[in-house]
Amino acid sequence: MTLTKKQSGIYIDDSILDDLISTDGIIFDCDGVLINITKSYDLAIDKTVQYILENFSQNRNNIRIDSKIIDGFKSCGGFNDEVDLTYASILSLVAATKLKKDQHEFIFDVISNADSSGISSVEKYVEKLVDIRDIKNKLAYPGTHQDNPLYKIFDQIFYGPELYLKLFKQHSQFFESGLIENDVVILDQLLIKQLKNKFTKKPSIVTGRGKESVKHSLKTLLDEFDQKNSVFLEDEPRELAKPNPESLIRSIKGMNSKCCIYVGDSMEDFIMAKKATEQGYKVIFCGIIGTSKNPQEKLKLFENNGAMLVIESIHLLPKVLNLE
């Protein structure tokens, strides 16, 4: 499928133009859509990987987990949870060291053998090549945020001591400010106002984050959303994680939407929207590419998988919906 470039940053399949006019609701992912997480979540992945490798397996001089590796895992459709991605990176680098292979080459070998089953596909592939029981036993992942060592280190690095204490009622072992403070909010009041001209209902959010984390970064902008019909997956059972469509369907049903737009930036988001449509809920997926390090590569990924609407930024939504 080839999308038509309508204008700078807007790519549409003409077959959905009539459906766009009839949409009655809009639901947003958060990370990479409402918030740029390049210097927050992405950096937390790398810092956690380095800390675990040095302190749990005495691996030093490891490669950085950069945006290309992160995008590689996320393109598989099973790594919406940043801690899952962190765990997959750790297993990959431990295995590369044991196999005496180049870490950079090996991690992309793992990525090419991963799929939408996420960490289980990584474990299955790596364990065929080398014994990684030692690091797996030490991390005992996934477990819970309160008890699991990997979750605890990641959360402490990301949230910082004050917010970590507030969320988990435990003290952090780190004293530095949380990387969540590096979140860059993309959403603004002007866009909210423009969307109100199209939709009678407030927009909702279906995100992998917890509600307190979203509130910390969006602040009063969160009040502009239908929080009752939003789903914050970090606060939900793990089996509801994307691309399971149950959270999106719950939001759609709560909003009583007949045809909605779901705005996301990952393959998990796209797969989730597709599964919801297959279950009888009309969803137009809108892919965001502007927060990716390689927007054209992300455009190609969405296009090759059948996405019918891709835009650079949420600020182009008013043009797509003819609101300006």
Side-chain angles (χ1 to χ4, degrees):
M1 180 185 296
T2 304
L3 298 175
T4 304
K5 184 177 180 179
K6 293 297 183 184
Q7 53 183 287
S8 181
I10 299 177
Y11 307 85
I12 300 181
D13 183 303
D14 287 343
S15 67
I16 65 162
L17 291 175
D18 288 341
D19 285 337
L20 276 173
I21 294 167
S22 66
T23 52
D24 60 6
I26 188 163
I27 303 170
F28 289 91
D29 178 31
C30 183
D31 298 333
V33 176
L34 303 176
I35 296 172
N36 188 324
I37 60 165
T38 310
K39 294 283 174 24
S40 55
Y41 263 123
D42 287 5
L43 191 53
I45 291 170
D46 180 58
K47 282 187 173 291
T48 305
V49 168
Q50 306 308 327
Y51 183 89
I52 293 287
L53 290 174
E54 289 179 16
N55 292 276
F56 283 64
S57 66
Q58 284 69 56
N59 282 28
R60 292 190 168 38
N61 304 314
N62 302 290
I63 60 166
R64 314 307 299 187
I65 305 302
D66 59 17
S67 59
K68 198 166 182 187
I69 292 170
I70 291 170
D71 286 349
F73 274 118
K74 293 207 166 192
S75 70
C76 304
F79 293 93
N80 187 66
D81 186 322
E82 277 78 9
V83 191
D84 280 6
L85 201 157
T86 303
Y87 177 69
S89 300
I90 292 164
L91 295 190
S92 301
L93 299 190
V94 167
T97 301
K98 286 191 169 196
L99 291 164
K100 295 183 169 48
K101 289 183 177 285
D102 178 273
Q103 288 185 340
H104 196 266
E105 286 179 16
F106 186 75
I107 202 166
F108 281 102
D109 188 30
V110 173
I111 287 167
S112 67
N113 285 278
D115 58 34
S116 60
S117 66
I119 60 174
S120 65
S121 65
V122 169
E123 289 176 333
K124 196 181 297 180
Y125 177 70
V126 171
E127 286 172 327
K128 282 193 296 188
L129 304 174
V130 67
D131 185 352
I132 52 168
R133 281 176 296 181
D134 186 45
I135 189 66
K136 279 185 69 178
N137 290 339
K138 285 178 181 176
L139 296 180
Y141 186 77
T144 67
H145 281 267
Q146 283 80 4
D147 301 312
N148 180 263
L150 179 54
Y151 265 134
K152 287 172 79 168
I153 289 162
F154 186 97
D155 289 340
Q156 288 169 18
I157 288 171
F158 181 70
Y159 291 117
E162 287 182 29
L163 189 54
Y164 183 77
L165 180 61
K166 179 182 177 185
L167 291 173
F168 300 105
K169 308 296 183 283
Q170 296 178 8
H171 290 281
S172 173
Q173 62 183 298
F174 305 109
F175 300 103
E176 298 90 348
S177 293
L179 293 174
I180 192 172
E181 307 306 335
N182 296 344
D183 273 350
V184 176
V185 177
I186 300 166
L187 180 69
D188 58 25
Q189 283 289 355
L190 174 60
L191 179 58
I192 291 288
K193 185 180 175 184
Q194 289 170 314
L195 292 176
K196 282 178 179 175
N197 292 334
K198 163 72 175 170
F199 303 108
T200 55
K201 309 177 184 79
K202 279 185 172 185
S204 293
I205 297 174
V206 172
T207 174
R209 281 204 193 203
K211 186 174 182 179
E212 282 299 323
S213 173
V214 174
K215 188 177 179 181
H216 184 84
S217 294
L218 289 186
K219 298 182 170 59
T220 57
L221 283 171
L222 184 57
D223 297 333
E224 303 291 349
F225 290 87
D226 178 355
Q227 294 176 53
K228 182 185 171 191
N229 293 308
S230 293
V231 184
F232 304 92
L233 287 163
E234 194 172 274
D235 306 330
E236 301 279 343
R238 184 177 171 83
E239 56 266 24
L240 288 183
K242 299 175 185 178
N244 185 334
E246 193 176 321
S247 56
L248 181 57
I249 290 169
R250 190 200 304 176
S251 184
I252 292 167
K253 287 167 76 173
M255 294 171 72
N256 195 27
S257 172
K258 301 293 180 284
C259 178
C260 77
I261 298 170
Y262 182 66
V263 189
D265 74 317
S266 70
M267 278 304 296
E268 292 89 355
D269 294 326
F270 173 69
I271 295 167
M272 178 175 70
K274 193 176 177 184
K275 285 182 174 180
T277 299
E278 287 166 357
Q279 291 188 30
Y281 299 89
K282 199 164 185 181
V283 183
I284 296 172
F285 175 74
C286 174
I288 299 293
I289 59 174
T291 49
S292 171
K293 273 288 190 290
N294 192 329
Q296 287 307 304
E297 205 170 282
K298 179 69 73 74
L299 170 63
K300 193 192 297 182
L301 177 69
F302 282 142
E303 196 172 25
N304 289 345
N305 282 278
M308 294 188 173
L309 172 60
V310 177
I311 60 178
E312 191 173 308
S313 164
I314 54 173
H315 293 296
L316 290 170
L317 281 168
K319 289 187 188 299
V320 170
L321 298 168
N322 296 314
L323 302 178
E324 58 181 35

